[in-house]
């Protein structure tokens, strides 16, 4: 049984030891460990069943973020991402959050929206009224259209109609089918339902149904996370907790008021969100689309998160965003790595997964704001970035770490300098590190 997500010394282990460590905690079967290590994950044969014209598979680093407590439960979080500092940032902020009880998260029901665009209607208001009058008949027409979802208690929930007054082709109608997809992301179920509904809507309105497709602005399927970080936990180096807290709130205010900053701020949130979405085989483009559309819902693109201080002077954070993820169906079911990631997370439902993902997004947001409003982002980035530069310069094995340290010490994390150093060491038989090695 997974007892704690605290993983002291984890960073210093090698990849196999880390896997052994988390596998033991999460009771991961050997084949799922192999799937995560890449050895028995997505094979080209399996990939060939998923998309067209397959020639191979594409891998990303998979890290495990430590220290997360979500709704009172310790969670080990698999994150698939190529960017340095993201996993470390999330783990670090989750550690500070533990002192305030971790993350509290919740979800609204998994209701997705399917859209039908209805054109060539003579009187849009009359057609709208006719559709709403037939609401019960419309819902009945798609009841049971996905037997698996119906059996799990999902299905059509509501039917709404909007008039689009102004568009490049003049006024038209949009019908929204609200459909509860339970633990599925639900794109297939929704698209099937909207296609099935089209003839009936044409009959009722006398119009022509054009597009029939889900909306990625899944604003009825929201996930929310909250965190309280005690002011004292925020202090480090020469920075008092109060200064860090106020700096984070000021940084958030920038994103709340300015779309240029909000885009970057939200990108930081998505660093955490996408990494878990990808690791669990979910559709990260859908999540990205929903997040940014939701961030612009007031008419002005803004921050997805909010930060403020409470009456004790502690830092309170909140993140709310659409979270159309599933734990059944699609790549989640097919990809062995995704299955292993879900097992590691210990989640059995889409809601449980969404609650963890939104918590990771919030942790990632505060990691970035803390760094940006104190010592800047580059310091933390440089260590790992330097390793990538070292590899790009041709370093191998132990040279990678040694070269990376030297580049950071010299504050010259550049490929040209890395090549120069590597060449001089190799000529000198691995000798002089020019005094900078630490
Ligand atoms: C970099 O991937 C993400 C940040 O730019 C986010 C932010 O600025 O808040 C550091």
């Amino acid at each position: 049984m997974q007892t704690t997500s605290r993983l002291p010394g984890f960073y210093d282990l090698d990849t196999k030891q880390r896997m052994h460590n988390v596998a033991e905690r999460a009771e991961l079967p050997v084949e799922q460990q192999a799937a995560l290590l890449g050895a028995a994950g997505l094979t080209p044969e399996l990939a060939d069943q998923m998309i067209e014209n397959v020639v191979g598979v594409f891998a990303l680093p998979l890290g495990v973020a430590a220290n997360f407590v979500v709704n009172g439960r310790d969670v080990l979080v698999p994150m698939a991402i190529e960017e340095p500092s993201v996993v470390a940032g999330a783990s670090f902020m989750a550690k500070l959050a533990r002192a305030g009880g971790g993350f509290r998260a919740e979800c609204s029901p998994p209701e997705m929206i399917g859209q039908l665009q209805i054109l060539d209607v003579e009187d849009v208001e009359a057609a709208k009224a006719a559709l709403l009058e037939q609401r019960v008949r419309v819902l009945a027409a798609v009841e049971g259209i996905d037997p698996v979802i119906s059996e799990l208690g999902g299905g059509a929930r509501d039917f709404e109609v909007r008039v689009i007054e102004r568009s490049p082709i003049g006024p038209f109608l949009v019908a929204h089918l609200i459909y509860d997809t339970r633990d599925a992301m639900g794109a297939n179920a929704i698209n099937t339902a909207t296609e099935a509904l089209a003839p009936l809507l044409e009959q009722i309105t006398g119009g022509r149904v054009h597009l029939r497709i889900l909306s990625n602005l899944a604003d009825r399927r929201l996930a929310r996370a909250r965190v309280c970080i005690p002011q004292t936990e925020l202090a480090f180096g020469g920075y008092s907790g109060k200064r860090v807290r106020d700096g984070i709130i000021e940084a958030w205010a920038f994103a709340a008021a300015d779309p240029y900053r909000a885009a970057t701020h939200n990108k930081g949130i998505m660093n955490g969100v996408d990494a878990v979405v990808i690791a669990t085989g979910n559709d990260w483009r859908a999540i990205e689309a929903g997040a940014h559309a939701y961030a612009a819902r007031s008419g002005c693109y803004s921050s997805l998160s909010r930060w403020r201080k409470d009456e004790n002077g502690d830092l309170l954070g909140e993140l709310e965003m659409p979270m159309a993820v599933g734990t059944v169906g699609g790549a989640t079911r097919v990809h062995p790595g995704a299955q292993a990631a879900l097992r590691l997370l210990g989640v059995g439902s889409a809601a449980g997964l969404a609650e963890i993902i939104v918590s990771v997004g919030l942790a990632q947001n505060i990691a970035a704001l803390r760094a940006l409003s104190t010592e800047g982002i580059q310091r933390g980035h440089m260590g790992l970035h330097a390793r990538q530069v070292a590899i790009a310069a041709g370093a191998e094995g132990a040279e990678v770490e040694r070269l990376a340290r030297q580049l950071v010490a010299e504050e010259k994390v550049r490929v040209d300098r890395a090549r120069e150093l590597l060449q001089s060491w190799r000529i000198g038989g691995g000798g002089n590190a020019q005094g900078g090695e630490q």
Side-chain angles (χ1 to χ4, degrees):
M1 251 311 124
Q2 188 173 310
T3 49
T4 177
S5 58
R6 295 275 298 118
L7 300 173
F10 195 62
Y11 180 85
D12 298 317
L13 303 177
D14 66 30
T15 48
K16 286 216 172 86
Q17 290 169 325
R18 288 192 199 119
M19 173 55 75
H20 182 71
N21 191 321
V22 297
E24 232 176 22
R25 287 165 196 260
E27 294 181 344
L28 269 190
V30 174
E31 61 278 12
Q32 292 201 327
Q33 294 178 41
L36 289 180
L37 282 167
L42 187 64
T43 58
E45 292 71 33
L46 207 46
D48 199 31
Q49 310 295 318
M50 295 172 73
I51 65 160
E52 309 75 35
N53 296 358
V54 165
V55 294
V57 292
F58 181 87
L60 280 175
L62 180 78
V64 172
N67 304 321
F68 273 87
V69 177
V70 179
N71 293 337
R73 187 172 75 87
D74 275 55
V75 199
L76 294 170
V77 183
M79 300 178 76
I81 187 160
E82 85 297 345
E83 183 172 330
S85 301
V86 170
V87 178
S91 303
F92 180 70
M93 293 320 302
K95 189 169 162 197
L96 300 195
R98 284 180 90 89
F103 297 85
R104 305 299 312 175
E106 68 206 13
C107 281
S108 50
E111 290 177 355
M112 297 291 286
I113 299 168
Q115 294 195 293
L116 294 101
Q117 180 191 22
I118 310 170
L119 303 174
D120 303 341
V121 173
E122 259 176 40
D123 179 341
V124 283
E125 290 300 338
K128 176 180 171 178
L131 282 170
L132 291 176
E133 218 167 82
Q134 301 280 331
R135 181 180 163 276
V136 173
R137 186 174 161 212
V138 168
L139 292 181
V142 286
E143 199 46 62
I145 198 151
D146 187 311
V148 178
I149 287 181
S150 297
E151 206 164 288
L152 294 170
R157 293 285 186 261
D158 208 349
F159 181 69
E160 296 169 347
V161 185
R162 295 160 49 218
V163 175
I164 304 282
E165 293 286 0
R166 252 172 286 161
S167 89
I169 54 165
F172 59 86
L173 281 176
V174 178
H176 280 189
L177 172 68
I178 313 300
Y179 197 95
D180 183 324
T181 63
R182 300 282 90 195
D183 288 328
M185 186 275 187
N188 277 327
I190 292 284
N191 293 339
T192 305
T194 52
E195 288 187 9
L197 213 47
L200 178 60
L201 301 202
E202 288 184 339
Q203 189 195 323
I204 297 170
T205 60
R208 170 172 63 92
V209 171
H210 191 43
L211 297 197
R212 299 143 298 165
I213 186 76
L214 95 167
S215 169
N216 286 123
L217 176 49
D219 61 0
R220 300 177 66 119
R221 195 175 187 177
L222 298 173
R224 244 167 264 112
R226 291 186 190 85
V227 71
C228 172
I229 304 194
Q231 191 191 141
T232 46
E233 293 292 315
L234 290 166
F236 74 101
Y239 298 94
S240 70
K242 180 177 177 306
R243 184 166 162 201
V244 177
R245 179 201 67 198
D246 293 345
I248 288 169
I249 295 170
E250 286 160 358
W252 161 75
F254 186 3
D258 174 33
Y260 287 91
R261 171 59 203 152
T264 324
H265 175 100
N266 290 340
K267 189 272 182 183
I269 292 172
M270 300 313 286
N271 277 344
V273 167
D274 284 342
V276 189
V277 170
I278 293 170
T280 55
N282 274 287
D283 180 345
W284 74 94
R285 288 88 54 213
I287 299 297
E288 281 281 341
H292 297 293
Y294 194 64
R297 67 194 180 282
S298 70
C300 177
Y301 185 89
S302 182
S303 165
L304 284 165
S305 64
R306 284 175 215 217
W307 292 96
R308 64 187 169 88
K309 64 179 178 189
D310 70 7
E311 59 284 359
N312 303 318
D314 296 331
L315 182 66
L316 290 182
E318 197 174 290
L319 172 63
E320 180 184 84
M321 58 186 291
M323 195 55 70
V325 290
T327 51
V328 298
T332 302
R333 185 53 88 212
V334 178
H335 195 306
Q339 281 291 302
L342 286 172
R343 171 84 182 241
L344 191 60
L345 284 162
V347 289
S349 69
L353 176 59
E355 287 163 4
I356 293 171
I357 294 174
V358 74
S359 301
V360 177
L362 190 56
Q364 209 66 60
N365 184 217
I366 190 186
L369 296 188
R370 174 184 173 275
L372 286 167
S373 56
T374 56
E375 58 194 4
I377 209 79
Q378 285 309 90
R379 191 154 180 254
H381 260 294
M382 274 311 155
L384 282 167
H385 176 57
R387 283 197 217 166
Q388 292 180 352
V389 170
I391 292 166
E396 286 170 6
E399 284 175 338
V400 175
E401 188 58 34
R402 182 179 174 213
L403 187 52
R405 282 174 192 239
Q406 178 69 17
L407 295 171
V408 171
E410 289 184 7
E411 295 184 10
K412 286 183 189 161
V413 186
R414 300 192 320 256
V415 179
D416 60 329
R417 177 61 183 149
R419 286 208 187 101
E420 214 172 83
L421 282 167
L422 200 57
Q423 206 177 11
S424 73
W425 292 351
R426 285 177 177 173
I427 289 169
N432 185 15
Q434 316 229 338
E437 205 179 1
Q438 294 167 1

